[in-house]
Amino acid sequence: MTDQLDHVSGATLDEIISRKLIDLFIRVGLIGFLVVYCYYIFRPFIGLMLWSVILAVAMYPLHAIIARRLGGQEGRAATVLVLGIMLSVLVPATLLIFSFADSTHDLIRQVKSGGLQVPAPDPAVAAWPLVGGKLHALWNTAHTDLGALVTKYEPKLGIITKQLLGYAASAGTGVLMFLVALVLAGIWMAYGAAGHGVALAIAGRMAGPERGPALVSLSTSTIRAVAQGVIGIACVQALLLGAGFILVGVPGAGILAMLVLLFGIMQVPALLVSLPTIIYVFYTNDSTSVAVMFAVYTVAAGSVDNILKPFVLGRGVDAPMPVILLGALGGMATGGIIGLFLGSVMLALGFQLFMAWVYRERDARAGLETVAK
């Protein structure tokens, strides 16, 4: 009799455990299905939403200043800020993008038609070490018979042409995404206090109530440091140099400005682009005074990052250059022009969060030692 009761009791316990496991698997399956389905629905907008959040976090201090001037009206302050950025930044950037597309189209047309005239090489080029002879021969061939040179390198030029046209289309798409992201960023800033509360709640759920605020603070400072100190300064530098290229009439001014922007984000000196343009202007411009003024302006505009970056990055997190470089290159390879910005910010943010986790115990011990003293 006792054995039968034990058998019944054991069977009942097994059934209860089985039912609980089945319920658990069903719940986990349903939650997993919901998460995956929501991801596939939201996937086309992930880049746009990330971009808008980055813009909102980066611009929020300026939004707070405007809101105080307007008597605490968050919505009106966000509207004023978004419209001001569209007028002061977006218009020159749009002109630069159109110049880039026009320069690409004109360059391709001139190369195909043979109307592109390459100036004669300087004899001193042949005396350059290692590459002087080959460079002078190639330059001289381009000067005397550009058509033969184009025919020789036609397959490679075709690949480059497709890439340039792809970058031009990506740049136009990036401008449109920036417009939409800027409007969304204005909405996020208008509800900044509520959004900050949600961020604190999520971070507290992920890292605990004690480390949650520190996680939010670190993420905010990293985004602002990279967005303002790296991407923002690179955009200013590209706009200044691009305006100088257009005014002097440098061929492919839009392409050169986009190269300056790319190099600026990758922390590569703009001198790699500005120095050849200075040499070109000195060789082709009839007015020496114009060439000298262009050289002075180009050197000053190319050095703006050395002046502004210490002020901006000094107040935030100085992300290492290789991290910014890898993020920019990887983001551009996967997401085009818009990925160039997102990649650098997101990889820098991930790096800072990872390093904060690595050194968390050390910082905690240092804090305890400081309190003890």
Side-chain angles (χ1 to χ4, degrees):
M1 186 69 178
T2 305
D3 295 338
Q4 292 178 352
L5 290 174
D6 292 340
H7 178 72
V8 172
S9 176
T12 305
L13 182 61
D14 290 340
E15 291 177 358
I16 292 174
I17 294 175
S18 298
R19 284 198 298 268
K20 287 183 177 297
L21 287 175
I22 291 173
D23 290 343
L24 178 62
F25 288 147
I26 291 175
R27 291 173 184 174
V28 171
L30 289 175
I31 293 174
F33 171 77
L34 182 62
V35 170
V36 172
Y37 190 74
C38 290
Y39 167 75
Y40 277 103
I41 293 175
F42 191 67
R43 185 172 60 176
F45 308 102
I46 290 178
L48 181 63
M49 297 301 292
L50 286 175
W51 190 221
S52 64
V53 171
I54 289 171
L55 287 174
V57 172
M59 297 186 302
Y60 191 78
L62 182 58
H63 168 267
I65 295 174
I66 298 174
R68 285 196 297 268
R69 297 288 181 87
L70 296 178
Q73 297 182 358
E74 301 282 343
R76 184 173 298 180
T79 303
V80 170
L81 181 57
V82 169
L83 291 178
I85 292 176
M86 285 184 177
L87 293 177
S88 61
V89 176
L90 192 60
V91 172
T94 304
L95 294 176
L96 193 61
I97 293 297
F98 282 124
S99 176
F100 171 70
D102 293 339
S103 300
T104 304
H105 183 269
D106 292 340
L107 181 62
I108 295 171
R109 179 179 55 80
Q110 290 179 14
V111 170
K112 289 184 177 180
S113 64
L116 182 64
Q117 298 295 325
V118 178
D122 193 315
V125 175
W128 292 359
L130 299 178
V131 298
K134 295 181 179 180
L135 180 60
H136 185 273
L138 182 64
W139 193 343
N140 188 58
T141 303
H143 171 66
T144 56
D145 192 359
L146 183 61
L149 186 65
V150 171
T151 303
K152 181 180 178 180
Y153 294 100
E154 186 173 358
K156 295 182 180 179
L157 289 175
I159 296 174
I160 295 174
T161 299
K162 291 181 180 179
Q163 290 178 345
L164 288 176
L165 291 176
Y167 287 144
S170 178
T173 305
V175 171
L176 293 178
M177 285 193 66
F178 179 80
L179 275 173
V180 180
L182 189 60
V183 174
L184 289 176
I187 298 174
W188 304 147
M189 288 186 293
Y191 298 94
H196 185 258
V198 172
L200 287 175
I202 295 174
R205 185 68 173 174
M206 292 174 57
E210 296 179 356
R211 298 190 181 96
L215 179 65
V216 173
S217 178
L218 177 62
S219 303
T220 302
S221 61
T222 302
I223 290 175
R224 287 175 182 167
V226 177
Q228 297 173 3
V230 177
I231 296 177
I233 294 176
C235 290
V236 171
Q237 193 174 40
L239 289 173
L240 292 175
L241 288 175
F245 297 157
I246 294 173
L247 290 176
V248 178
V250 176
I255 299 176
L256 295 176
M258 292 301 294
L259 285 176
V260 172
L261 177 62
L262 176 63
F263 288 165
I265 293 177
M266 295 190 304
Q267 306 294 284
V268 177
L271 192 66
L272 295 178
V273 178
S274 60
L275 183 59
T277 59
I278 293 173
I279 297 173
Y280 173 82
V281 171
F282 269 100
Y283 268 103
T284 58
N285 201 290
D286 296 331
S287 176
T288 306
S289 60
V290 172
V292 171
M293 286 190 295
F294 174 75
V296 173
Y297 172 81
T298 303
V299 171
S303 304
V304 70
D305 60 332
N306 298 324
I307 300 173
L308 297 178
K309 196 171 294 182
F311 292 99
V312 179
L313 286 180
R315 298 195 303 266
V317 179
D318 192 359
M321 186 271 288
V323 175
I324 303 296
L325 175 61
L326 292 175
L329 292 178
M332 189 170 184
T334 56
I337 296 295
I338 198 69
L340 181 73
F341 301 93
L342 283 177
S344 57
V345 174
M346 296 305 295
L347 192 62
L349 175 59
F351 173 81
Q352 292 294 340
L353 294 177
F354 175 74
M355 296 309 295
W357 173 77
V358 169
Y359 294 115
R360 183 178 61 189
E361 299 298 333
R362 185 195 67 180
D363 296 339
R365 287 195 299 268
L368 291 176
E369 292 175 359
T370 303
V371 172
K373 292 178 180 179

